[in-house]
Each structure stands twice: as structure tokens, then as C-alpha cells.
Amino acid sequence: MGTKKPYDDIPGTIVFDSDQAARGYHLNQFCISLRLQANRDAFKADPEAYIDNFPMTPQQREAALNQEWNRLLELGGNIYYTSKLAAFHGINFQGLAGLMTGKGTQAYRDMMIAGGRPIDGNRYKSEWDDK
Amino acid sequence: MAYISSGVACSHVPALGVASDSGISGDDYYGPIFKGFEFSKQWMAEEKPDLIFLVYNDHCTAFDARVIPTFALGCAAEYQPADEGWGPRPVPVVQGHRALSAHIAQSLVLDSFDITIMNEMEVDHGLTVPLTMMFGKPEKWPCPVVPLAVNVVQYPAPLGSRCFALGKAIRKAIESYPENLKVCVFGTGGMSHQLQHERAGLINAEWDARFMDLLVNDPDKGSQIEHIEYLREAGSEGIELVMWYVMRGALNENVEEKHRFYHVPASNTAVGHMILENR
Ligand SMILES: [Fe+2]
């Protein structure tokens, strides 16, 4: 870390760059393992024992077990991976977005039908300061 | 000789695959989207390409975090639809074209594009959803497919300008293949969308329209769009749109826009679709 990145000033966005990928490697490999039924069964049978096959940090482990979706991204998770953990819990992409944005499923779905989150006011962190 | 006749740009939203597979593609939510592709199915039936060169991205299916090739060319005889966590999509197995793939692989590397060669690869919704949108639900896909998987999951994706140049190299490769094949090139993904964190749900219709205009009329300029602009203006997952420039690079400088369709939303995403014919 330390180097300033041009995308650091985009609000509500964690760019999955090389630093994040390195940080999240084992977390993401845990998530993607749930693509396969045998692994989903093992995780369901004993979540803690299954997750301990993946040498992630205690913070990542806790966030995964507690389904803290934004925190998982901040700790190096990537959405295409964390969405597999969400799917395990029966949450689809739109449900997951409802959770990450704090809007809830229905309000989020309504926002999308109305044209989505507008770009104006959502380009720079400075525009979110009063929120 | 083989030649390229047309290009198709198409979002590959997984929910569209689900809608087709579960038979709800005519409902109030999905109906307007599938309607936008009716022209396209008709056009496809008349265009009848012998082969599709399909540019897409894998979503941690064939490639998890262990291996992340920036450009990976499918060189297999066939490609199985993958289980992405809900069982494989009930769509036909995708037939490849090994001889053409091998020819393109060799041509690209000798043309300074050091691509990865995939002799076995499962394909996910990124590849199968555009086939569904363009062909509907046939018993088998009407022609073979040569897939090119592009990394857009881990930042940075290849630059738009690099994708554009790769498209030109792909054209050169295809046009030097001795068999008489009519090829249609697909560029998939996009349009503006963000799937993650608190800004999820971002859509930028104005930017998307400008992106499509530039793609058709001034691709030299459009291919210079920088990553920071994609991330900020089109959302963190909107950067998939660089893949449209591989398709555009494979076409003539002058193209005719036969069809354009744009709709918000499909799940979290703006659906964009274009058909371009070489002029
Ligand atoms: Fe995608």
C-alpha cells in the first residue's frame, strides 16, 4: 500500500487490483470452492472445519462466517468470488447488491427498474461527504 | 479464404440465461429485453455465419485466482457449459474448431500477441448467454465457436487500445486461413454496471450511448478510453466493455450499424447490443 491510486477517490467502490488480490487470495479460493456441490455439502456440515482448510486471516474468516459482504470486499474479496458464498446462502446478485448498498432487496430492485443509481453525485468520494 | 463479415456486441448478464432456461423470458421484466433481440435472431438466420469468434470473460469459472491469463484462446474440440454453482446451464455443448484455433494461436504469437492456449476449457454464462440471445434455444448451436477469454476480473484488464489492436491481429489471422469460412465476431459484456459495495447499481445511460457512438464511428478515439474513466463512469464491472474493442478491431474501419438496442435493467446491469456489418 502507500501508493496513491487514481481510483481511490471513487466512492463506494473497492477496485480488485493486484494488492487486493494478494490480500484476498485464500478468501477468494474459499469462496470459489463453493461452486462445487461436494464442497458446499462439506461447508454446510461443518462451516468452521471447512473454512479452516483455507489459511485466511482471522478477520477474513470472521467476515465470511458472519456474511459481512462489504467487509469481505475491503479485506481482498472480489464480488465474483463472494457471490458464490452468497449463492450458498441463497442470495443472488441482486439480493447481494441490496445488502451491500443497505437498501434491501425491494428498494434496490425498484431503484434498478427506475434506471439505476445515477452517475451524478456518485463519481467522487467528496460528493458523498454529506451522506 | 476465411473472412469476417460482421460483428455483434452483446451484454452477457447471467440473469438473461436464467430467464431463458426457466421459460420466463416473455414476462414483464424480461420480455422487453428479449424483444430487443428478435431482430437479431432474424438477422442471424439470414447472416448464417460458418463460425463465431467469441470474445468474453470468464467469471472465476475456468480460471479461479490460481491462474489469470490476460488473453486465453480456446483451442479445444468442444467446450462444456460449466457449473457456476447452480448446475450447468441446460444449453448445447459448444463445438470448437481446432484447426482454425491452432492457426489463430500461431498467427497471434508471431504477431506479438503472447496469448495463452486453452486445450481444455469449460465456458460460463459470459459465453453462453450471448449465444442464447442471438440464437434462442436450438437443439444444437448452428455453428462452431472459437472463444477468447479476456481477464476483466482482476484489475487491470487489458487496455482498450490493446484490445483494439488484438482485434486487428485476429482479423489478419482469420483472413490467412485457407478454408472458406464466413466469420462473425462477438464482443460481449457490459454495459455500465457495478455489482459491488455501496455504489452497486450504478448505471450511466448517457455514457453508454456515447460509447456505442464512438465504437461505430470513431473507434480510434474510443479505444483510447482510459481505465479510470470506465471505472468511474461505467462502474467497476463496466470495464468489461474493453472486450467490445476486440470485436471492433476485427472489423473494417467503416461499418454499418444494422441494429442497436439498449435497456435498463437486467438485474444490476444496462443491457447493450449492436450488430455491425463490414462496409
Ligand atoms: Fe461479465
Side-chain angles (χ1 to χ4, degrees), chain A residues 6-7 9-18 21 25 28-29 32 34-37 40 70 73-74 78-81 83-84 87 93-94 97 100-101 108-109 111-113 115-119 122-124 128, chain B residues 14 29 57 59-66 68 82-87 122 125 152-156 193-204 228 231-234 236-237 240 264-269:
Chain A
Y7 39 82
D9 64 350
I10 304 175
T13 302
I14 308 289
V15 174
F16 185 65
D17 62 10
S18 306
Y25 181 73
N28 286 320
Q29 289 301 87
I32 203 66
L34 300 175
R35 187 165 76 82
L36 302 177
Q37 186 64 47
R40 291 197 290 272
N70 285 339
L73 301 176
E74 290 151 17
N78 170 270
I79 189 66
Y80 293 114
Y81 293 84
S83 62
K84 303 294 182 191
F93 270 109
Q94 201 165 51
M100 289 183 294
T101 56
Y108 181 84
R109 188 181 155 90
M111 174 182 82
M112 293 315 298
I113 289 173
R117 180 185 306 282
I119 185 68
N122 291 313
R123 289 185 175 91
Y124 296 95
W128 279 28
Chain B
Y29 187 89
N57 71 287
H59 305 77
C60 326
T61 306
F63 310 108
D64 59 26
R66 285 175 299 175
I68 305 172
D83 183 350
E84 299 178 56
W86 309 269
E122 292 193 330
H125 69 267
V152 296
V153 172
Q154 180 172 327
Y155 183 90
H193 67 302
Q194 175 154 336
L195 301 176
Q196 53 118 347
H197 218 269
E198 289 177 31
R199 201 175 71 139
L202 184 92
I203 299 286
N204 191 342
I228 184 66
L231 292 173
R232 198 185 305 283
E233 299 290 330
S236 51
E237 281 65 47
E240 287 184 343
V264 178
S267 185
N268 304 292
T269 307

Side-chain angles (χ1 to χ4, degrees), chain A residues 10-127:
Chain A
I10 304 175
T13 302
I14 308 289
V15 174
F16 185 65
D17 62 10
S18 306
D19 289 331
Q20 287 298 95
R23 185 174 297 139
Y25 181 73
H26 294 293
L27 167 63
N28 286 320
Q29 289 301 87
F30 154 71
C31 290
I32 203 66
S33 74
L34 300 175
R35 187 165 76 82
L36 302 177
Q37 186 64 47
N39 295 335
R40 291 197 290 272
D41 292 343
F43 183 47
K44 196 167 182 181
D46 190 342
E48 304 225 8
Y50 182 77
I51 205 169
D52 286 338
N53 292 319
F54 299 85
M56 62 183 89
T57 67
Q59 292 84 353
Q60 290 169 332
R61 185 180 184 278
E62 186 186 274
L65 290 172
N66 294 338
Q67 299 181 48
E68 298 172 62
W69 303 111
N70 285 339
R71 181 124 178 87
L72 284 169
L73 301 176
E74 290 151 17
L75 295 171
N78 170 270
I79 189 66
Y80 293 114
Y81 293 84
T82 58
S83 62
K84 303 294 182 191
L85 176 61
F88 171 85
H89 292 291
I91 304 166
N92 66 17
F93 270 109
Q94 201 165 51
L96 187 52
L99 292 169
M100 289 183 294
T101 56
K103 280 184 165 299
T105 305
Q106 194 54 49
Y108 181 84
R109 188 181 155 90
D110 292 345
M111 174 182 82
M112 293 315 298
I113 289 173
R117 180 185 306 282
I119 185 68
D120 288 338
N122 291 313
R123 289 185 175 91
Y124 296 95
K125 276 186 177 160
S126 58
E127 296 175 303

